[in-house]
């Protein structure tokens, strides 16, 4: 049995129970000119009724650095499940302009969180040994921002951070961390 096969079986087991949330690894700030303020109701699962959560938006978002690095001035992208943004300026941060809510074909959909988020570390285990030798990089730390609703999760709950993977939530005192399982 390969690791991929175990992950496929586990995905079938946890997928129906795992609520979906937003987590942005290595966040980059995006400020959107003319952005509508929204109270967006998002489903906790795309096909099964596990409830909803409310996300209030302003004109400030954070997106993954990996996605931000691909954007150029003039590009239009979609804040996933929200609306379109045209990049007007790009430095260490991105400035953009609201470009409507209609889904545009071929537009990249990018994961996001609002300013109502918190810093969170997700630990990603890698093989402990490679070719019989200890792997000093066997535990990666991914720093990012999780949406505020994640603070309401209980210890041990397994969720899916959209476009990131399945994560077990661990709570100790006031700290919340994630332990990555798989995509």
């Amino acid at each position: 049995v390969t690791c991929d096969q175990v992950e496929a079986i586990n995905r079938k087991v946890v997928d129906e129970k795992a609520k979906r949330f937003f987590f942005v690894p290595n966040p980059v700030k995006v400020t959107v000119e003319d952005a509508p303020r929204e109270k967006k109701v998002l489903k906790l699962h795309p096909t099964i009724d596990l409830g909803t959560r409310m996300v209030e938006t302003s004109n400030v978002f954070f997106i993954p650095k990996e996605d931000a690095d691909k954007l150029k001035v003039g590009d239009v992208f979609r804040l996933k499940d929200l609306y379109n943004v045209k990049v007007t300026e790009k430095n260490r941060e991105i400035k953009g302009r609201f470009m409507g809510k209609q889904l545009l074909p071929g537009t990249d959909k990018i994961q996001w969180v609002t300013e109502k988020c918190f810093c969170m570390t997700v630990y990603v285990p890698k093989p402990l040994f490679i070719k019989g030798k200890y792997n000093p990089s066997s535990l990666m730390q991914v720093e990012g921002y999780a949406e505020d609703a994640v603070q309401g999760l209980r210890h041990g709950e397994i969720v899916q951070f959209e476009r990131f993977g399945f994560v077990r939530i661990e709570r100790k005192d006031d700290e919340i961390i994630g332990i990555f399982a798989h995509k």
Side-chain angles (χ1 to χ4, degrees):
V1 178
T2 69
C3 189
D4 288 344
Q5 291 170 320
V6 172
E7 287 178 4
I9 293 166
N10 190 56
R11 193 175 299 108
K12 287 180 186 175
V13 172
V14 299
D15 183 63
E16 292 182 356
K17 302 172 193 164
K19 295 174 184 171
R20 280 20 179 210
F21 293 94
F22 293 169
F23 172 77
V24 172
N26 308 309
V28 172
K29 185 177 181 181
V30 176
T31 305
V32 182
E33 182 184 334
D34 299 327
R37 293 187 180 274
E38 301 260 337
K39 286 187 177 181
K40 185 75 175 174
V41 175
L42 298 170
K43 295 166 85 176
L44 290 172
H45 194 284
T47 57
I48 297 166
D49 185 10
L50 296 180
T52 60
R53 66 201 191 279
M54 171 83 68
V55 179
E56 292 185 43
T57 68
S58 65
N59 67 330
V60 176
F61 299 88
F62 296 92
I63 65 172
K65 183 178 185 322
E66 183 178 327
D67 291 319
D69 287 347
K70 296 174 189 171
L71 295 172
K72 300 181 297 293
V73 172
D75 285 354
V76 175
F77 67 93
R78 184 168 188 83
L79 292 170
K80 185 179 179 299
D81 299 326
L82 195 60
Y83 54 68
N84 308 311
V85 176
K86 183 175 186 173
V87 178
T88 57
E89 191 178 316
K90 183 180 174 188
N91 298 304
R92 286 184 22 228
E93 296 180 359
I94 294 174
K95 292 190 181 193
R97 186 171 51 252
F98 172 73
M99 294 298 288
K101 295 182 181 181
Q102 187 170 346
L103 189 59
L104 301 173
T107 305
D108 287 339
K109 294 173 186 75
I110 296 180
Q111 189 62 51
W112 54 273
V113 294
T114 67
E115 290 177 295
K116 290 186 178 183
C117 62
F118 67 99
C119 294
M120 183 174 174
T121 302
V122 176
Y123 292 92
V124 181
K126 299 288 183 184
L128 189 55
F129 294 94
I130 298 176
K131 295 182 182 176
K133 295 191 178 181
Y134 172 70
N135 175 12
S137 302
S138 63
L139 188 61
M140 263 180 37
Q141 278 184 240
V142 178
E143 304 296 332
Y145 291 163
E147 69 172 275
D148 210 33
V150 171
Q151 294 190 67
L153 297 175
R154 62 186 195 280
H155 178 78
E157 194 164 349
I158 296 171
V159 299
Q160 183 179 8
F161 283 158
E162 292 190 35
R163 306 204 167 191
F164 184 81
F166 291 95
V167 173
R168 178 184 163 102
I169 299 299
E170 298 285 327
R171 300 179 78 96
K172 184 176 180 212
D173 302 320
D174 290 337
E175 184 182 21
I176 300 173
I177 62 167
I179 308 297
F180 180 83
H182 56 76
K183 293 260 181 212

